[in-house]
Amino acid sequence: MKLGKVEFCHFLQLIALFLCFSGMSQAELSRSRSKPYFQSGRSRTKRSWVWNQFFVLEEYMGSDPLYVGKLHSDVDKGDGSIKYILSGEGASSIFIIDENTGDIHATKRLDREEQAYYTLRAQALDRLTNKPVEPESEFVIKIQDINDNEPKFLDGPYTAGVPEMSPVGTSVVQVTATDADDPTYGNSARVVYSILQGQPYFSVEPKTGVIKTALPNMDREAKDQYLLVIQAKDMVGQNGGLSGTTSVTVTLTDVNDNPPRFPRRSYQYNVPESLPVASVVARIKAADADIGANAEMEYKIVDGDGFGIFKISVDKDSQEGIITIQKDLDFEAKTSYTLRIEAANRDADPRFLSLGPFSDTTTVKIIVEDVDEPPVFSSPLYPMEVSEATQVGNIIGTVAAHDPDSSNSPVRYSIDRNTDLERYFNIDANSGVITTAKSLDRETNAVHNITVLAMESQNPSQIGRGYVAITILDINDNAPEFAMDYETTVCENAQPGQVIQKISAVDKDEPSNGHQFYFSLTTDATNNHNFSLKDNKDNTASILTRRNGFRRQEQSVYYLPVFIVDSGSPSLSSTNTLTIRVCDCDADGVAQTCNAEAYVLPAGLSTGALIAILACVLTLLVLILLIVTMRRRKKEPLIFDEERDIRENIVRYDDEGGGEEDTEAFDMAALRNLNVLRDTKTRRDVTPEIQFLSRPTFKSIPDNVIFREFIWERLKEADIDPCAPPYDSLQTYAFEGNGSVAESLSSLDSISSNSDQNYDYLSDWGPRFKRLADMYGTGPESLYS
């Protein structure tokens, strides 16, 4: 009869319970008598009490509490006078005791893997007095193991690798399973290993869990990865044992067991002859089933007619062979090339050399295509020389270019004017002869680098470039001159024959043998009694004094003409004037001052003191000028010019009203009323005889008192204020002044004016009112009819 897993576990539990009960009934232990135990003044000898040795099966699945064992004291006569109590680990929560009988039961399911034993203390008490009748004793309840835990792979799932082509029995990886059951009791924790998936390629050692290869010559290129399922089973693999599984992924690592092979035996590529040097012609690749370092290639040209013209290198990333150009191609010289190329593994594995050579060869044919090329000059650079004295139109040299194509098209020449901006040179379009177009000057530009263009007559877009370096040869066309502007001084106490200056010369020309200058004084200066010149014969000369006693009062500056001649052919000369100042010197001959005016200055008065005095004088002059200007401005009378229109003067006060809608601050009717009473007053800055500046008197109207007083107060403040500018006045355009024939012309009063008024009298007022007479008059000369 075949039992299931659950039934088998129940069967084992029943057997274990039976063995425990039968064994525990014979396992009673007696403790020796201890010292007498005294209670309530009454002595008696303490007797030992007996309990069973307890074992409990784990994982009890019954509905009733599990009987563990029985406690019994020899004091207990069975009359119910003794009660038993339990303390310690799990007391009352897991283990309970019948206080009358001493029977111990487990109320919960126990798991040995969580706790293997419990330590408790038992004691017998007098039920009436609740005092111990026996000393407290300690005992242990051990949990008996059953096979309730399957093996587990704590490190799974596993990954591992093994080289391809490994021999049988090559170790791959070791797997380990652990079982939580008690390894000291039965076979619950004894594990054996087996392989469920992965045959026939791999096997596993039953006891150690070591996985090994089971087949030879496993090829990574055929299959590179395997998934294994390993089982671990307890109970030594017997029926009823528990098992666990894990997966192991095994990857075959690559070895160099495949030689490189070109997919084709020959290749052909077409390239134009104009392809630049270092350009890529082709890429070829030998196939290799291996990967990584085992597939790294080396390419080389082993045969053919392209040595020196082409080279091949390897692309580290793609492992391709890259064919590049090393020299220019010329279709007219050679139309094709044939290369024999070999590819080989960089690192061959000696174990697999028997499989054949780890290299392969292929043929590459390169066809050169004809391209319409630009003309080519016979020389990359044409050096030429010409004298700077050459005449315009003279021939300097000739350049030559030809069409390298088979058509040999005629060539026309020109100069790239970007390299000859001043147009010094011309070139014959057909012959390539270069001539001068302007006069040349070596000192301006010693070398001219020009570019000559050669273009095909049949295809002007094809342009070749040649380079010409024209060196200008020097002639003696520049006279020598002083090397610098000399500042020469002579001391008043100089002695005769004393060198006061050493001079030299420069020449813009560059003779082949170097410069040689000759110095002398001019004929007029040869017999002077002050200075002489000595030619040092090394392109320098010395200026010497002829006398002593130079005085600044007599002459402070001397001018010495120096005649310089060069060694050219023909030689050139020039006269240069050396300025010599007479100075006051110290004891060491160092010039202190060279100004002749120093003698007329007061003794002991320094230059700083003079500057301070001049600054003070200038400051006083400025102050006096300002005072005079201000006084004249205050005294100037305010007399108006008759030709000036005083109505153009407007005085603005910063007292603002509330606008047209503000009818409470001021009465706007005051601006339209002509009958304003004013006292006649005269401005203190206006001449009294001028009558038109006086203000007429009118009868006042009480309603306008506030506005009138405000205006007159402002006028008084302006009259009294000494800082007020002159000629300030307030013009009231509602009234044009007393005695006006035309009376008021203000537009403020135009509402009440008579529109039929006759304005012919305006023509009688003179030329100043002619414009108004023309506009408003009714005569034949009026602008409006």
Side-chain angles (χ1 to χ4, degrees):
M1 181 177 178
K2 187 175 183 182
L3 297 177
K5 178 178 180 181
V6 177
E7 292 81 357
F8 182 74
C9 290
H10 290 169
F11 177 73
L12 291 177
Q13 292 175 0
L14 292 175
I15 295 175
L17 286 173
F18 175 77
L19 293 175
C20 289
F21 292 155
S22 61
M24 284 188 284
S25 61
Q26 303 297 328
E28 292 184 352
L29 299 178
S30 297
R31 296 181 61 182
S32 64
R33 293 184 180 270
S34 60
K35 295 180 181 180
Y37 178 78
F38 301 96
Q39 183 177 7
S40 301
R42 175 183 168 193
S43 65
R44 70 174 180 87
T45 303
K46 181 186 174 188
R47 301 186 59 176
S48 63
W49 58 293
V50 182
W51 71 95
N52 295 323
Q53 186 175 2
F54 304 122
F55 292 90
V56 180
L57 279 176
E58 65 172 334
E59 304 296 343
Y60 173 69
M61 305 297 292
S63 58
D64 297 329
L66 176 63
Y67 179 77
V68 177
K70 183 181 183 64
L71 294 179
H72 180 71
S73 173
D74 55 1
V75 180
D76 187 2
K77 304 302 182 179
D79 55 359
S81 61
I82 302 300
K83 69 174 182 178
Y84 301 92
I85 62 172
L86 195 64
S87 63
E89 293 180 314
S92 300
S93 60
I94 300 177
F95 303 101
I96 60 175
I97 187 170
D98 188 324
E99 63 179 14
N100 296 318
T101 63
D103 293 333
I104 301 174
H105 291 81
T107 60
K108 293 183 179 180
R109 182 173 62 88
L110 302 177
D111 188 356
R112 190 203 64 85
E113 285 71 38
E114 292 181 3
Q115 189 166 346
Y117 61 89
Y118 295 84
T119 301
L120 294 97
R121 292 179 298 278
Q123 193 168 35
L125 302 176
D126 186 283
R127 186 177 298 275
L128 295 178
T129 61
N130 205 32
K131 292 182 178 181
V133 297
E134 296 285 351
E136 184 180 61
S137 297
E138 185 179 86
F139 64 97
V140 175
I141 299 178
K142 293 185 178 180
I143 310 303
Q144 190 118 19
D145 184 45
I146 64 172
N147 189 20
D148 59 341
N149 291 279
E150 71 277 2
K152 293 182 179 180
F153 294 91
L154 302 181
D155 298 328
Y158 297 84
T159 57
V162 63
E164 62 175 333
M165 298 296 181
S166 296
V168 175
T170 301
S171 178
V172 178
V173 68
Q174 183 178 16
V175 297
T176 302
T178 59
D179 195 316
D181 293 325
D182 189 357
T184 64
Y185 179 76
N187 295 324
S188 298
R190 296 182 61 185
V191 178
V192 295
Y193 301 92
S194 62
I195 184 168
L196 301 182
Q197 179 180 319
Q199 301 98 336
Y201 306 102
F202 299 92
S203 62
V204 62
E205 287 287 340
K207 294 182 179 180
T208 62
V210 175
I211 300 174
K212 299 181 179 180
T213 58
L215 283 180
N217 301 328
M218 284 190 292
D219 192 358
R220 186 199 64 83
E221 289 72 33
K223 185 176 182 180
D224 63 345
Q225 197 173 80
Y226 297 85
L227 180 62
L228 312 182
V229 177
I230 304 299
Q231 176 184 264
K233 191 174 184 181
D234 59 14
M235 300 298 290
V236 201
Q238 297 176 1
N239 292 335
L242 303 180
S243 63
T245 59
T246 188
S247 63
V248 181
T249 302
V250 180
T251 301
L252 297 183
T253 58
D254 187 55
V255 297
N256 192 7
D257 59 338
N258 293 279
R261 291 291 180 263
F262 283 105
R264 297 165 55 183
R265 293 292 90 193
S266 63
Y267 298 86
Q268 180 173 314
Y269 299 96
N270 294 353
V271 295
E273 62 174 334
S274 60
L275 201 64
V277 172
S279 298
V280 176
V281 174
R283 287 175 173 264
I284 61 175
K285 183 177 182 180
D288 192 330
D290 297 322
I291 59 174
N294 297 319
E296 291 182 356
M297 298 289 180
E298 287 183 343
Y299 296 90
K300 60 183 178 180
I301 300 174
V302 295
D303 196 6
D305 54 1
F307 286 105
I309 306 297
F310 303 94
K311 72 173 184 178
I312 187 169
S313 59
V314 62
D315 187 327
K316 300 296 183 181
D317 296 326
S318 63
Q319 297 301 317
E320 292 178 309
I322 304 174
I323 303 174
T324 55
I325 300 175
Q326 284 187 298
K327 293 183 179 179
D328 290 326
L329 301 178
D330 188 358
F331 173 82
E332 288 70 28
K334 190 172 180 63
T335 60
S336 66
Y337 296 89
T338 301
L339 308 176
R340 188 74 175 169
I341 296 177
E342 179 185 79
N345 280 136
R346 186 183 300 274
D347 298 313
D349 194 332
R351 295 176 300 168
F352 305 103
L353 292 179
S354 60
L355 301 178
F358 277 73
S359 63
D360 195 18
T361 59
T362 189
T363 302
V364 177
K365 186 173 184 179
I366 300 174
I367 305 298
V368 181
E369 297 178 343
D370 189 20
V371 175
D372 190 4
E373 299 174 274
V376 177
F377 283 87
S378 59
S379 174
L381 177 65
Y382 294 87
M384 299 180 183
E385 295 180 346
V386 61
S387 172
E388 62 177 327
T390 188
Q391 300 297 319
V392 174
N394 284 358
I395 296 175
I396 301 174
T398 304
V399 296
H402 69 281
D403 183 7
D405 299 320
S406 57
S407 60
N408 196 17
S409 175
V411 175
R412 295 183 61 83
Y413 302 94
S414 63
I415 294 177
D416 184 356
R417 291 305 175 183
N418 291 325
T419 60
D420 184 26
L421 298 176
E422 300 295 331
R423 295 181 177 268
Y424 285 108
F425 307 99
N426 289 328
I427 189 170
D428 187 276
N430 297 317
S431 63
V433 174
I434 299 175
T435 58
T436 57
K438 284 184 178 180
S439 297
L440 304 176
D441 185 8
R442 188 203 65 83
E443 288 71 35
T444 302
N445 193 351
V447 178
H448 295 264
N449 294 305
I450 63 174
T451 300
V452 177
L453 307 178
M455 63 182 67
E456 295 182 10
S457 299
Q458 299 177 0
N459 186 5
S461 63
Q462 295 297 327
I463 301 176
R465 285 173 170 78
Y467 303 97
V468 181
I470 302 175
T471 302
I472 310 301
L473 301 179
D474 186 40
I475 63 170
N476 191 25
D477 59 344
N478 291 276
E481 57 187 13
F482 276 158
M484 58 181 294
D485 293 333
Y486 292 101
E487 296 182 357
T488 306
T489 60
V490 60
C491 295
E492 289 182 311
N493 57 356
Q495 300 299 319
Q498 180 178 341
V499 176
I500 61 173
Q501 183 68 58
K502 187 174 183 179
I503 60 175
S504 62
V506 293
D507 194 330
K508 294 181 181 179
D509 297 320
E510 291 185 359
S512 57
N513 296 327
H515 290 291
Q516 181 64 49
F517 301 115
Y518 304 96
F519 299 88
S520 64
L521 297 179
T522 60
T523 304
D524 298 338
T526 303
N527 297 322
N528 79 90
H529 301 289
N530 301 312
F531 304 99
S532 62
L533 183 145
K534 177 184 177 182
D535 193 338
N536 297 325
K537 306 302 181 181
D538 59 353
N539 291 338
T540 65
S542 299
I543 307 298
L544 300 90
T545 57
R546 281 187 171 182
R547 66 180 179 87
N548 58 2
F550 293 94
R551 295 180 61 82
R552 284 177 290 169
Q553 298 92 327
E554 298 176 358
Q555 185 174 349
S556 61
V557 180
Y558 293 89
Y559 299 98
L560 187 65
V562 179
F563 187 70
I564 308 175
V565 182
D566 63 15
S567 59
S569 180
S571 62
L572 296 179
S573 62
S574 67
T575 299
N576 300 261
T577 301
L578 182 67
T579 301
I580 304 174
R581 296 184 180 276
V582 180
C583 300
D584 179 26
C585 302
D586 58 12
D588 296 329
V590 178
Q592 298 298 314
T593 177
C594 300
N595 296 325
E597 293 80 359
Y599 280 97
V600 301
L601 297 177
L605 195 61
S606 64
T607 304
L610 287 176
I611 294 175
I613 293 172
L614 291 176
C616 293
V617 172
L618 182 61
T619 304
L620 290 175
L621 290 175
V622 172
L623 290 175
I624 293 171
L625 181 61
L626 289 174
I627 293 172
V628 171
T629 303
M630 293 179 64
R631 295 186 63 181
R632 289 186 60 190
R633 188 171 183 181
K634 288 182 179 180
K635 293 180 179 180
E636 184 177 356
L638 299 178
I639 306 299
F640 291 103
D641 189 356
E642 291 182 357
E643 297 299 324
R644 183 176 179 186
D645 190 355
I646 62 174
R647 289 173 296 175
E648 295 176 359
N649 297 325
I650 300 174
V651 177
R652 187 187 69 184
Y653 294 96
D654 293 334
D655 296 87
E656 298 180 359
E660 294 180 357
E661 298 180 358
D662 187 0
T663 59
E664 297 180 0
F666 300 100
D667 187 3
M668 298 300 293
L671 296 176
R672 299 187 178 92
N673 199 322
L674 305 180
N675 302 319
V676 180
L677 179 59
R678 300 178 184 174
D679 297 333
T680 302
K681 293 184 180 181
T682 303
R683 286 285 297 273
R684 60 190 174 91
D685 55 354
V686 178
T687 304
E689 289 77 14
I690 307 300
Q691 295 297 326
F692 66 88
L693 291 177
S694 62
R695 309 188 189 279
T697 303
F698 296 94
K699 296 180 180 180
S700 80
I701 298 175
D703 295 338
N704 302 321
V705 173
I706 298 177
F707 185 63
R708 183 177 67 253
E709 289 180 354
F710 169 78
I711 293 177
W712 282 107
E713 286 177 1
R714 290 294 183 265
L715 286 174
K716 290 178 182 179
E717 291 175 2
D719 291 339
I720 297 172
D721 187 5
C723 297
Y727 300 105
D728 57 339
S729 61
L730 176 66
Q731 302 298 324
T732 304
Y733 291 97
F735 181 67
E736 295 299 330
N738 190 21
S740 175
V741 181
E743 296 182 355
S744 177
L745 298 178
S746 173
S747 62
L748 297 175
D749 223 23
S750 61
I751 299 177
S752 59
S753 63
N754 186 5
S755 62
D756 296 332
Q757 184 177 353
N758 186 2
Y759 295 99
D760 293 339
Y761 58 87
L762 294 175
S763 60
D764 299 332
W765 291 0
R768 296 181 64 184
F769 295 89
K770 186 177 181 302
R771 183 65 177 172
L772 288 174
D774 293 339
M775 294 175 61
Y776 293 93
T778 57
E781 296 179 1
S782 177
L783 295 175
Y784 301 92
S785 57

